[in-house]
Amino acid sequence: MVSENGKAVVPRHVAIVMDGNGRWAKKRFLPRFFGHKQGVDALVRVVQACIDREIEYLTVFAFSSENWKRPSDEVSGLMGLVLAAVSRYLARMGDMGVRIRIVGDRDAVSDKLRNAWNEAEAATAHNSKLTLNVAFNYGGRWDIVQAAKAAIKAGVPAEELSEARLGEFMAMSYAPDPDLFIRTGGEVRISNFMLWQVAYTEFVFSDCLWPEFGEAQLDAAIEAFRERDRRFGGVKEAAPALAGA
Ligand code: FPP
């Protein structure tokens, strides 16, 4: 959505690193798993809030290529939680008009989870209110490498390889680059999320722990985004001509 002066009123594409689930649970003397469980509920709330604000794309970092390093019970807990979330929320997401797309390396996940992803994508493929990209077993560097491999396999000659051409092979080539990147949980880093796509994205870092993130925090991030002066490497207005030049 764009205002009269051409500035975006709401971002078209929001990307979120949903951080702080573990600390949310720890503060309550609960196992980390409970934080992730609450994190799923926060995600459902934020999906609805994005639809209400006419945001077109929401990309969330649900499991990174590096998250395999976590204790095995946390990894299997997260896998189980995602499976349960698909069966619990798929119909609701469909009713909300959400199109689900999974981005990441599917080779390493179980057949059960891969089938659930395929089912979620197929069941929501016709929806167009909001595209929810779930980055799972995803890493920004992985994406760049898989795009390069795909370009080579497609026979693209080196001299034809440009940013635009390689971009066609990136996992989210169907979506515009994110306008707004939000990271909750107080850490100030990208953690290998969407490295290619965030070249000109506006960043907002929030101390809020992800399970507590909701409409108010989303609106605060959008407000901060609105105040930014996006120049995409250019200048705001042409420099005045030099006198006598
Ligand atoms: C980071 O918090 C969060 C994750 C690694 C997992 C996020 C996953 C979800 C919210 C579930 C998504 C579910 C679906 C269906 C897409 P952390 O564990 O690093 O928290 P900490 O920094 O406080 O330890």
Side-chain angles (χ1 to χ4, degrees):
M1 202 192 291
V2 171
S3 74
E4 277 172 14
N5 65 9
K7 261 193 148 183
V9 174
V10 288
R12 269 188 87 191
H13 185 173
V14 176
I16 307 185
V17 176
M18 308 179 289
D19 199 9
N21 294 343
R23 278 164 285 161
W24 181 91
K26 197 174 173 202
K27 266 170 57 179
R28 288 161 180 78
F29 306 102
L30 292 167
R32 293 173 58 82
F33 175 77
F34 284 86
H36 296 312
K37 204 158 173 280
Q38 286 296 123
V40 175
D41 294 344
L43 176 57
V44 175
R45 276 200 310 272
V46 169
V47 166
Q48 183 60 60
C50 287
I51 293 171
D52 295 343
R53 285 153 186 76
E54 298 184 28
I55 289 164
E56 295 170 56
Y57 297 88
L58 172 65
T59 303
V60 293
F61 209 1
F63 192 86
S64 81
S65 316
E66 291 75 32
N67 284 154
W68 297 104
K69 292 179 202 153
R70 295 190 174 208
S72 63
D73 61 333
E74 183 169 347
V75 171
S76 58
L78 268 166
M79 300 290 164
L81 186 65
V82 170
L83 264 175
V86 173
S87 69
R88 183 165 171 209
Y89 291 111
L90 184 55
R92 189 156 146 203
M93 289 285 155
D95 292 344
M96 286 156 76
V98 175
R99 177 172 192 174
I100 297 176
R101 301 191 78 152
I102 312 304
V103 283
D105 183 357
R106 295 186 202 204
D107 289 347
V109 304
S110 69
D111 290 347
K112 221 173 163 183
L113 188 52
R114 198 176 310 113
N115 292 340
W117 285 146
N118 292 342
E119 189 198 331
E121 287 185 328
T124 61
H126 57 284
N127 290 337
S128 56
K129 263 210 170 131
L130 173 88
T131 298
L132 172 64
N133 302 309
V134 179
F136 200 91
N137 196 20
Y138 171 90
R141 289 179 174 176
W142 165 84
D143 198 4
I144 295 167
V145 170
Q146 73 75 28
K149 281 185 183 166
I152 292 166
K153 275 193 195 146
V156 179
E159 53 283 3
E160 266 181 34
L161 203 61
S162 59
E163 290 180 16
R165 193 79 180 93
L166 187 58
E168 289 169 20
F169 294 92
M170 303 299 293
M172 274 169 271
S173 58
Y174 52 84
D177 287 347
D179 303 290
L180 171 61
F181 171 110
I182 301 170
R183 182 177 186 137
T184 61
E187 309 286 5
V188 186
R189 54 177 169 256
I190 302 184
S191 296
N192 197 17
F193 191 37
M194 300 183 84
L195 296 179
W196 175 271
Q197 296 88 347
V198 296
Y200 285 102
T201 300
E202 298 298 330
F203 285 72
V204 171
F205 295 95
S206 164
D207 288 334
C208 178
L209 302 176
W210 175 249
E212 289 166 352
F213 196 88
E215 290 196 279
Q217 291 76 14
L218 179 65
D219 284 337
I222 293 173
E223 198 45 50
F225 165 80
R226 279 193 191 128
E227 283 164 17
R228 304 278 169 88
D229 181 20
R230 302 187 81 192
R231 294 189 298 279
F232 298 94
V235 287
K236 196 171 183 189
E237 49 200 7
L242 284 175

